[in-house]
Amino acid sequence: MHREIETDIAIIGGGVGGYAAALSACRMGRQVILTEETDWIGGQLTSQAVPPDEHRWIEQFGCTRSYREFRQGVRAYYKRHFPVTAQAQAAYYLNPGNGGVSRLCAEPRAMLEVLQAMIAPFIHSGRLTLLLRSRPVSAETDGDTVRSVTVQEAYGRRLTIRAPYFLDATECGDLLPLAGVEYVTGAESRADTNEPHALEGPADPHDIQAFTWCLAMDYLEGENHVIDKPKDYSFWRKYRADFWPDQQLSWVSPNPVTLEPNEETLFWGTDKYPLFIYRRIIDRANFLQGTYPGDISIINWAQNDYWLGRIYDVPPHEAQRHLEGARQLSLSLLYWLQTEAPRPDGKAGYPGLRLRPDVTGTADGLAQAPYIRESRRIRAQFTVLEQHVSAAVRGDQGAVPFADSVGIGCYRIDLHPSTAGRNYLDISSLPFQIPLGSLLPVRVRNLLPACKNIGTTHITNGCYRLHPVEWNIGEAAGALAAFCLDQAAEPHQVRSDAAKLEAFQTLLTSYGVELAWPKIGAV
């Protein structure tokens, strides 16, 4: 069965950026179709089970108003529906999990509830059509214009979507090759970008950051929840990369900044950092006794980063092999934790660790989709380079200001180990702006990137890839498409015409998108 449908704006991919784009375009009165491959909208926040990585000023400034509304909505969700303690109820900036990675660690399903509530008025009114379990399979183009995108829905049905504007918000930039949009993958050469940390030799399009298949678990002391031995456990139990200080299934990993060996543990009780606390999404101390049997945490550590191969721009069987490899790595890490991990008390293993499939909305407790750090990236009118945002390069000057700013972000340049066997790169950056030019393909006129697929490099992807930045990118892209429809203009004209650019930036500001930072230091 093959159907066709028309809309104002088609957003392919319902992750953080795609969701924010849909929210933005709907608020501006446009008809929107939003597709998503998994069962849940929200990407990193939900289907990938990644608590948000954010800068330290996130509660005061440095994100869009709608992103802050979402964050406060998550806190209100717990306070309204759960038996929280009096102390938790009184905490204005409640952190349900009290995790170390973020000021807002919470269950993916709770975040999903809030995301769904925020778009409910548009779904109920018919302005937003949400198509879950749908992935793009082809696109029709006419010169520099995308005419339609066809997605495969559940049960093998196909739907062709026709629209004046298409936004690629897929996790790997999957719409770019389908629509013939010029793009880049992997690591650039220093000869091409002059970036201090770019490759000294030729560019390597296959040098892509590790991805991770996260899982949710809790811990019940005295109980036995050991899973069946994963089929690839023998391989992962022995595996050690040349650039790693120990076997991957161990407590030893490189310090991301110094690359010196760093020893960790699971719980408090020693001077080593407890990994269970790092991405803990439920701290039962925030709730009345008996609400949760134990704390809940997400495994998204160095130990389950997968760098043995790529999952895009490779044959389907190869992509599937690496996806399954990442799942096996995460299950093997859990099995090692349950059965062999050295404990401070001299024992081995924590059999009370229990997978929580209800938390992730899956049958096995692993996330619905892998956490992708690095996507295909458009060849853009303007590409953000390391020297635009690096603290070492810019010093006290601050990041390079962009007159065409459509938002702001802040995070360290954080690159995980790569498929080329390169270790972490974690260096200081400065609070930065998101230039409109990085959202504009060099040729195609009506397709916009809406997540991690903008005009950055392998290096600057490391600070432009996090949750609040992706939300801002998506919100700006959705607003830009709606603005262009209202003004009968093209996105490239908005950047090149001073009056149109000013009008668009004024519009963004009215919706609570911050375009510039106050003067603050490096991160």
Side-chain angles (χ1 to χ4, degrees), residues 397-419:
Q397 300 177 85
V400 172
F402 298 127
D404 63 343
S405 172
V406 293
I408 59 176
C410 182
Y411 203 75
R412 291 177 64 83
I413 296 175
D414 173 16
L415 275 68
H416 282 234
S418 72
T419 54

Side-chain angles (χ1 to χ4, degrees), residues 2-7 10 12 136-142 145-151 159-167 175 178-180 446-447:
H2 193 150
R3 301 183 294 131
E4 289 197 4
I5 191 172
E6 293 187 3
T7 190
I12 311 301
V137 293
S138 65
E140 175 193 0
T141 61
D142 179 8
T145 302
V146 180
R147 296 300 185 192
S148 70
V149 170
T150 298
V151 298
L159 171 68
T160 294
I161 307 169
R162 299 189 180 278
Y165 281 95
F166 294 89
L167 273 58
L175 196 53
L178 294 177
N446 70 328
L447 184 145

Side-chain angles (χ1 to χ4, degrees), residues 86-100:
Q87 183 178 6
Q89 188 67 242
Y92 187 77
Y93 295 126
L94 171 66
N95 189 344
N98 287 325

Side-chain angles (χ1 to χ4, degrees), residues 99-334:
V101 72
S102 173
R103 289 167 173 80
L104 185 66
C105 291
E107 297 163 283
R109 53 187 172 178
M111 294 189 173
L112 176 66
E113 292 286 341
V114 176
L115 292 173
Q116 289 175 326
M118 290 175 68
I119 59 170
F122 306 121
I123 289 180
H124 288 219
S125 69
R127 187 174 297 171
L128 174 61
T129 300
L130 176 61
L131 304 175
L132 299 173
R133 295 180 293 281
S134 300
R135 63 180 181 85
V137 293
S138 65
E140 175 193 0
T141 61
D142 179 8
D144 297 341
T145 302
V146 180
R147 296 300 185 192
S148 70
V149 170
T150 298
V151 298
Q152 183 165 311
E153 302 179 277
Y155 311 112
R157 298 173 302 188
R158 291 202 171 192
L159 171 68
T160 294
I161 307 169
R162 299 189 180 278
Y165 281 95
F166 294 89
L167 273 58
D168 182 354
T170 60
E171 297 299 326
C172 294
D174 293 334
L175 196 53
L176 303 182
L178 294 177
V181 179
E182 292 81 359
Y183 66 89
V184 179
T185 64
E188 290 85 354
S189 168
R190 190 180 304 175
D192 295 327
T193 67
N194 291 318
E195 293 175 297
H197 289 89
L199 296 180
E200 292 187 13
D204 184 355
H206 301 160
D207 186 6
I208 295 167
Q209 286 188 72
F211 68 94
T212 305
W213 213 305
C214 304
L215 61 82
M217 63 181 183
D218 60 6
Y219 181 68
L220 304 177
E221 179 65 40
E223 297 188 13
N224 188 335
H225 296 280
V226 176
I227 63 173
D228 293 338
K229 187 176 180 179
K231 66 180 180 66
D232 291 348
Y233 184 70
S234 296
F235 171 82
W236 288 113
R237 186 66 188 91
K238 298 174 184 176
Y239 176 75
R240 176 180 177 179
D242 293 341
F243 57 85
W244 214 246
D246 202 339
Q247 292 173 315
Q248 194 161 356
L249 300 188
S250 73
W251 290 126
V252 182
S253 61
N255 181 298
V257 178
T258 66
L259 299 184
E260 294 297 318
N262 186 50
E263 190 169 355
E264 296 150 325
T265 187
L266 190 61
F267 298 112
W268 292 112
T270 69
D271 58 353
K272 302 178 181 68
Y273 189 81
L275 287 175
F276 191 93
I277 310 300
Y278 187 54
R279 284 191 169 91
R280 183 174 60 185
I281 56 174
I282 286 295
D283 180 356
R284 59 180 173 170
N286 278 326
F287 304 86
L288 297 184
Q289 189 172 1
T291 304
Y292 288 92
D295 294 356
I296 304 175
S297 187
I298 298 293
I299 291 186
N300 176 13
W301 308 337
Q303 287 87 341
N304 64 326
D305 275 1
Y306 182 90
W307 52 69
L308 295 188
R310 298 174 291 135
I311 59 172
Y312 51 85
D313 290 354
V314 295
H317 71 273
E318 184 175 341
Q320 188 56 45
R321 177 167 61 87
H322 291 307
L323 287 168
E324 178 58 25
R327 293 175 63 88
Q328 284 292 311
L329 170 56
S330 290
L331 290 171
S332 295
L333 174 57
L334 175 64

Side-chain angles (χ1 to χ4, degrees), residues 441-463:
V442 291
R443 178 182 59 83
V444 177
R445 317 305 289 179
N446 70 328
L447 184 145
L448 299 169
C451 54
K452 296 182 289 287
N453 49 355
I454 65 169
T456 58
T457 65
H458 177 73
I459 303 294
T460 54
N461 164 266
C463 59

